[in-house]
Amino acid sequence: MSLSNRKIGFIGAGNMAFALMKGLVNSGLVPPENIMASDPEPSRFEGLSKSLNITITTDNIAVAKKSDIIMICVKPQVAKYVMDEISQFLKDKLLISIAAGVKTDFFEHYLSGLRVIRVMSNTPALVGEGSSAICAGKYAGKPELEIADKLFCSVGKVAVIEEKYMDAVTGLSGSGPAYVFKFIEALSDAGVKLGLSRETSRMLAAQTVYGSAKLVLETGEHPMALKDMVTSPGGTTIVGVHMLEKGGFSAAIIDAVEEATKRSEELGKK
């Protein structure tokens, strides 16, 4: 399914929108002249407009009118304001929302038959390594999911899920980069404590996490099996793993994901 002749409009031009626009242009999936974005302060995105050769405006309605696919890339508390403004211009269009916690039926309420795809992505999309989960609303189906899949594959990997699991995705991969950054920070601090320079320690920590993640994805092996490959009997690694478990490492991660999921559910209800 070609997207080269589709007009794509972004309402909201923050980090995630920028990552997706950059991915679409750099991959050649959508020509820059077919991309338009609106934001209350377009002056902040002059560099974006020039580097990608796309159009930035303050006019949400203009974006809605001129686009075949409309990306809602705003904070959840702004979603109602945006929909009140553009809903009358959405007939026969595909709406894709990355507004955290906002369910597909919220958007469908504004226009019967509106095709809606909900997406939860994450910040590694900024470097083309995002994790995105997508789900379809009541009136969207396989063709719409295929479009969303193509769009978000331009900035990483995509999973198709049922909407009831979207809050869990928010707690896992949506918030997950923060957990990983904390882990990298802790590894780096440990290296500094033991005498390594900050620069060397940070590089070793970050590359260790990056390489380990790549190993999981490319081998398809269970993380436990890969952990056992490193953990020699009576060696250094098993001592370190023991200390992590003694400190409640696994339980803390699971608790963090569960609590973030609960918070996502609360935000969705609001």
Side-chain angles (χ1 to χ4, degrees), residues 144-218:
E144 289 76 27
L145 283 170
E146 287 179 352
I147 289 172
D149 183 84
K150 273 202 167 186
L151 290 171
F152 283 88
C153 275
S154 71
V155 292
K157 296 186 181 296
V158 176
V160 179
I161 66 169
E162 295 179 51
E163 186 165 19
K164 64 182 179 180
Y165 298 119
M166 196 60 87
D167 289 316
V169 170
T170 303
L172 173 60
S173 58
S175 301
Y179 317 150
V180 176
F181 296 145
K182 287 292 292 181
F183 180 54
I184 292 173
E185 180 185 33
L187 280 178
S188 179
D189 283 347
V192 171
K193 182 180 180 182
L194 296 170
L196 294 173
S197 71
R198 173 61 70 184
E199 183 180 2
T200 298
S201 191
R202 183 183 296 120
M203 182 279 289
L204 291 172
Q207 182 62 28
T208 297
V209 171
Y210 175 75
S212 300
K214 192 172 183 180
L215 200 58
V216 171
L217 291 172
E218 293 193 1

Side-chain angles (χ1 to χ4, degrees), residues 13 35 45 47 49 64 77 88 111 127 139 153-154 179 196 210 213 234 259:
I35 298 176
F45 303 97
S49 179
Q77 58 268 31
Q88 61 183 304
L111 181 66
V127 291
Y139 305 107
C153 275
S154 71
Y179 317 150
L196 294 173
Y210 175 75
E259 288 302 311

Side-chain angles (χ1 to χ4, degrees), residues 32-45:
E33 60 268 23
N34 285 0
I35 298 176
M36 185 178 186
S38 61
D39 194 89
E41 298 180 48
S43 59
R44 291 187 300 150
F45 303 97

Side-chain angles (χ1 to χ4, degrees), residues 74 134 176:
V74 300
I134 62 177

Side-chain angles (χ1 to χ4, degrees), residues 7-27:
K7 303 278 188 185
I8 301 181
F10 290 78
I11 296 183
N15 286 336
M16 285 305 306
F18 168 70
L20 189 54
M21 286 186 275
K22 181 181 176 183
L24 294 175
V25 171
N26 290 348
S27 66

Side-chain angles (χ1 to χ4, degrees), residues 1-257:
M1 180 182 297
S2 174
L3 294 175
S4 60
N5 60 349
R6 304 290 185 97
K7 303 278 188 185
I8 301 181
F10 290 78
I11 296 183
N15 286 336
M16 285 305 306
F18 168 70
L20 189 54
M21 286 186 275
K22 181 181 176 183
L24 294 175
V25 171
N26 290 348
S27 66
L29 197 61
V30 180
E33 60 268 23
N34 285 0
I35 298 176
M36 185 178 186
S38 61
D39 194 89
E41 298 180 48
S43 59
R44 291 187 300 150
F45 303 97
E46 287 179 1
L48 166 62
S49 179
K50 290 176 181 177
S51 64
L52 298 181
N53 198 28
I54 63 173
T55 303
I56 300 283
T57 179
T58 59
D59 193 344
N60 293 339
I61 292 175
V63 172
K65 282 182 174 179
K66 295 178 182 179
S67 303
D68 304 308
I69 301 169
I70 299 167
M71 306 287 301
I72 303 296
C73 303
V74 300
K75 299 292 185 184
Q77 58 268 31
V78 183
K80 184 179 186 304
Y81 166 79
V82 167
M83 289 302 293
D84 286 342
E85 187 178 23
I86 70 169
S87 59
Q88 61 183 304
F89 307 106
L90 299 180
K91 187 177 180 182
D92 299 325
K93 302 194 176 186
L94 172 60
L95 187 146
I96 299 177
S97 168
I98 65 169
V102 183
K103 297 181 179 179
T104 54
D105 60 7
F106 166 84
F107 299 102
E108 292 164 348
H109 167 75
Y110 282 87
L111 181 66
S112 179
L114 179 63
R115 296 170 297 154
V116 181
I117 297 291
R118 179 181 171 189
V119 182
M120 171 50 63
S121 194
N122 61 13
T123 54
L126 288 165
V127 291
E129 295 293 349
S131 303
S132 303
I134 62 177
C135 67
K138 187 189 303 183
Y139 305 107
K142 187 176 178 181
E144 289 76 27
L145 283 170
E146 287 179 352
I147 289 172
D149 183 84
K150 273 202 167 186
L151 290 171
F152 283 88
C153 275
S154 71
V155 292
K157 296 186 181 296
V158 176
V160 179
I161 66 169
E162 295 179 51
E163 186 165 19
K164 64 182 179 180
Y165 298 119
M166 196 60 87
D167 289 316
V169 170
T170 303
L172 173 60
S173 58
S175 301
Y179 317 150
V180 176
F181 296 145
K182 287 292 292 181
F183 180 54
I184 292 173
E185 180 185 33
L187 280 178
S188 179
D189 283 347
V192 171
K193 182 180 180 182
L194 296 170
L196 294 173
S197 71
R198 173 61 70 184
E199 183 180 2
T200 298
S201 191
R202 183 183 296 120
M203 182 279 289
L204 291 172
Q207 182 62 28
T208 297
V209 171
Y210 175 75
S212 300
K214 192 172 183 180
L215 200 58
V216 171
L217 291 172
E218 293 193 1
T219 64
E221 292 282 352
H222 193 285
M224 182 179 291
L226 294 172
K227 180 206 73 177
D228 288 347
M229 286 171 57
V230 189
T231 313
S232 304
T236 59
T237 306
I238 190 60
V239 174
V241 170
H242 170 73
M243 293 307 296
L244 287 177
E245 293 309 314
K246 188 176 180 181
F249 180 79
S250 296
I253 297 297
I254 294 170
D255 288 346
V257 173

